[in-house]
Amino acid sequence: TYSNGEIVNLMQVDVDRIASLLSLLVDGIVLPLQIALALVLLSQIIGLSLVAAIAVMLAMLVVNGILSKFLQKCQTKVMKAKDERMRITSEVLNAIKIIKLYAWEDKFTDRIKARRDAEVYDLSRGLYAAAVNIFLLWLTPVLVSVLTFSMYAWLGNRLDAAVVFPAMTTMQLLQEPIRSFPFVIVGFVQ
């Protein structure tokens, strides 16, 4: 059986996650295809320099995977703390007359605040990790461009308009899928 706090959490959080599942499934199929197609086009433009782009994207996927696992742990702790806080709050509301009669308001308020503090602590850790993740996601396209063109020049190729503009356009096609794909991964994790 579920406590009142667990039922409230199911209604507030889990229903929203289920509703966003279809969008995540579509993105989980479409985004890898977009990335693969853009990489094929990019390989035709810049050749072996594509290795730098792939290396950056793989490195960022690994970092995103680590951050996603951390976010999942934080989310699990937040949900447990929220369930416990809602359970205690429900008990307090059901027994409010007795609590008032014996003047136990402070004791129960302290218990609820302690659960809320644990919830906020884990929530803040998760949000800081999410902020780092978002920063890295916005940094990835810049790193891909810089490292790819650096490797292209290092391999002895000449950077001219005929190479740079089509490559930049193709890299712009990569930006949104690169930014969105880790969010899809996090969505599946949650």
Side-chain angles (χ1 to χ4, degrees):
T1 63
Y2 291 103
S3 70
N4 287 343
E6 290 171 330
I7 292 172
V8 169
N9 278 342
L10 286 173
M11 291 187 317
Q12 288 177 344
V13 178
D14 294 341
V15 170
D16 184 51
R17 288 190 186 152
I18 292 169
S20 66
L21 182 63
L22 183 60
S23 173
L24 288 173
L25 288 174
V26 170
D27 286 345
I29 295 168
V30 171
L31 292 177
L33 291 175
Q34 286 179 323
I35 291 170
L37 181 62
L39 288 176
V40 167
L41 292 172
L42 202 54
S43 71
Q44 293 176 353
I45 298 168
I46 59 172
L48 285 177
S49 301
L50 181 65
V51 172
I54 293 173
V56 170
M57 287 188 279
L58 290 177
M60 289 301 172
L61 277 176
V62 169
V63 169
N64 182 263
I66 293 167
L67 286 172
S68 294
K69 286 180 184 178
F70 180 75
L71 285 168
Q72 182 184 22
K73 288 178 185 176
C74 289
Q75 185 71 23
T76 301
K77 288 180 180 180
V78 166
M79 294 308 293
K80 285 181 182 177
K82 187 183 280 190
D83 286 344
E84 183 65 20
R85 180 178 54 86
M86 294 302 290
R87 184 187 62 76
I88 292 171
T89 302
S90 179
E91 286 176 9
V92 167
L93 291 174
N94 288 334
I96 194 72
K97 288 182 182 179
I98 295 170
I99 292 170
K100 289 277 191 189
L101 181 66
Y102 290 108
W104 290 340
E105 295 98 339
D106 293 338
K107 181 179 179 182
F108 281 95
T109 300
D110 291 342
R111 286 180 64 192
I112 292 171
K113 282 183 181 178
R115 298 300 188 275
R116 179 66 181 152
D117 289 344
E119 183 181 339
V120 168
Y121 174 75
D122 290 325
L123 185 62
S124 65
R125 289 179 66 207
L127 290 175
Y128 284 126
V132 168
N133 198 16
I134 289 169
F135 171 75
L136 291 175
L137 293 177
W138 282 92
L139 182 65
T140 300
V142 175
L143 288 176
V144 166
S145 299
V146 169
L147 293 176
T148 302
F149 287 131
S150 297
M151 187 169 181
Y152 187 79
W154 183 71
L155 289 173
N157 298 311
R158 184 168 182 253
L159 285 173
D160 57 7
V163 172
V164 173
F165 288 124
M168 287 298 292
T169 303
T170 307
M171 286 180 194
Q172 284 180 342
L173 292 174
L174 269 174
Q175 285 182 0
E176 189 57 34
I178 289 172
R179 283 190 204 120
S180 299
F181 193 65
F183 287 113
V184 171
I185 293 171
V186 170
F188 279 124
V189 167
Q190 289 181 346

